[in-house]
Amino acid sequence: EVQLLESGGGLVQPGGSLRLSCAASGFTFSSYAMNWVRQAPGKGLDWVSGISVSGTSTFYADSVKGRFTISRDNSKNTLYLHMNSLRAEDTAVYYCAKSSGSYSWFDPWGQGTLVTVSS
Amino acid sequence: EIVLTQSPGTLSLSPGERATLSCRASQSVSSSYLAWYQQKPGQAPRLLIYGASSRATGIPDRFGGSGSGTDFTLTITRLEPEDFAVYYCQQYGSSPKTFGQGTRVEIK
């Protein structure tokens, strides 16, 4: 069974940093592109970032470009999202999601991890 | 950036009724690279439809997708109690991979 398990969320002050992790199992992690999608409380879905199978190509939403960095460790079957200069508007549940390539749907999704940016 | 507009915002229907959800794109979606997801409270989104009309594994055939270009539709032919949820469309043909704002299907 394909499983994605996010961790690393929590409460952080504005301007702070956090690293999210997504542990993958049940499939060949190194063969699939991966993504981060967030959902602010009571709001819709917002794609944040994506990464190619090898990690050499990365993509970002304009709202996080220059502040967030996506990476992966294929030897550990783990996806990461390094978040710097956090703002109140970054408060959201962050989901990791598997996709087959650059032009592919997201399936499945992890259960999410909550990031709260507040003083 | 392709903007996806879903309508209606909320659909109030009874179990057994037919639901028709719309997703309109601000420009043509490449190769019908459009997906639909279902999200229930406290849960992650679940893929229903990809490629505008292909059902994902394990999705009942009462869910159907159609459309091309800028206009897409998700149809639930006969609502079951477990279908009351929020539905999102997503285009994945161009970056950024945008989502619609969602349609809530609620029990009337």
Side-chain angles (χ1 to χ4, degrees):
Chain A
E1 179 192 2
V2 174
Q3 285 197 322
L4 299 170
L5 187 62
E6 300 94 335
S7 61
L11 175 64
V12 61
Q13 292 189 337
S17 299
L18 212 55
R19 187 186 79 164
L20 306 183
S21 299
C22 170
S25 61
F27 66 102
T28 305
F29 180 72
S30 58
S31 296
Y32 291 90
M34 297 294 295
N35 295 269
W36 288 99
V37 179
R38 67 185 180 185
Q39 185 170 37
K43 302 297 185 183
L45 302 170
D46 187 25
W47 174 80
V48 172
S49 183
I51 190 168
S52 63
V53 295
S54 64
T56 54
S57 296
T58 56
F59 310 89
Y60 299 95
D62 285 346
S63 58
V64 306
K65 202 171 292 183
R67 300 188 300 123
F68 290 10
T69 302
I70 190 172
S71 63
R72 64 191 298 162
D73 186 335
N74 286 344
S75 69
K76 295 183 178 179
N77 292 342
T78 303
L79 174 72
Y80 301 101
L81 186 67
H82 303 256
M83 304 186 294
N84 296 321
S85 304
L86 283 162
R87 307 165 180 168
E89 55 264 35
D90 296 318
T91 294
V93 173
Y94 285 73
Y95 297 100
C96 63
K98 166 181 165 282
S99 61
S100 296
S102 296
Y103 300 103
S104 178
W105 54 92
F106 297 173
D107 181 51
W109 300 50
Q111 90 293 342
T113 187
L114 176 62
V115 172
T116 303
V117 184
S118 175
S119 55
Chain B
E1 172 176 324
I2 297 179
V3 176
L4 299 179
T5 302
Q6 292 186 240
S7 61
T10 302
L11 203 48
S12 298
L13 295 168
S14 300
E17 290 194 295
R18 181 186 188 94
T20 303
L21 287 66
S22 174
C23 176
R24 180 161 290 179
S26 59
Q27 53 190 282
S28 185
V29 176
S30 303
S31 303
S32 294
Y33 285 157
L34 188 109
W36 290 93
Y37 301 88
Q38 176 193 67
Q39 188 178 33
K40 297 180 181 179
Q43 295 185 16
R46 177 175 72 143
L47 176 71
L48 298 175
I49 301 287
Y50 62 92
S53 61
S54 298
R55 268 188 306 276
T57 302
I59 301 303
D61 60 8
R62 64 180 181 272
F63 290 92
S66 63
S68 63
T70 60
D71 289 297
F72 299 88
T73 301
L74 175 69
T75 301
I76 311 171
T77 54
R78 202 174 54 254
L79 282 164
E80 297 289 340
E82 61 269 26
D83 299 337
F84 291 92
V86 180
Y87 293 83
Y88 294 94
C89 58
Q90 179 209 20
Q91 68 79 23
Y92 50 89
S94 65
S95 191
K97 298 174 184 180
T98 47
F99 292 88
Q101 83 279 15
T103 289
R104 179 179 305 276
V105 179
E106 64 175 26
I107 299 177
K108 186 174 181 180

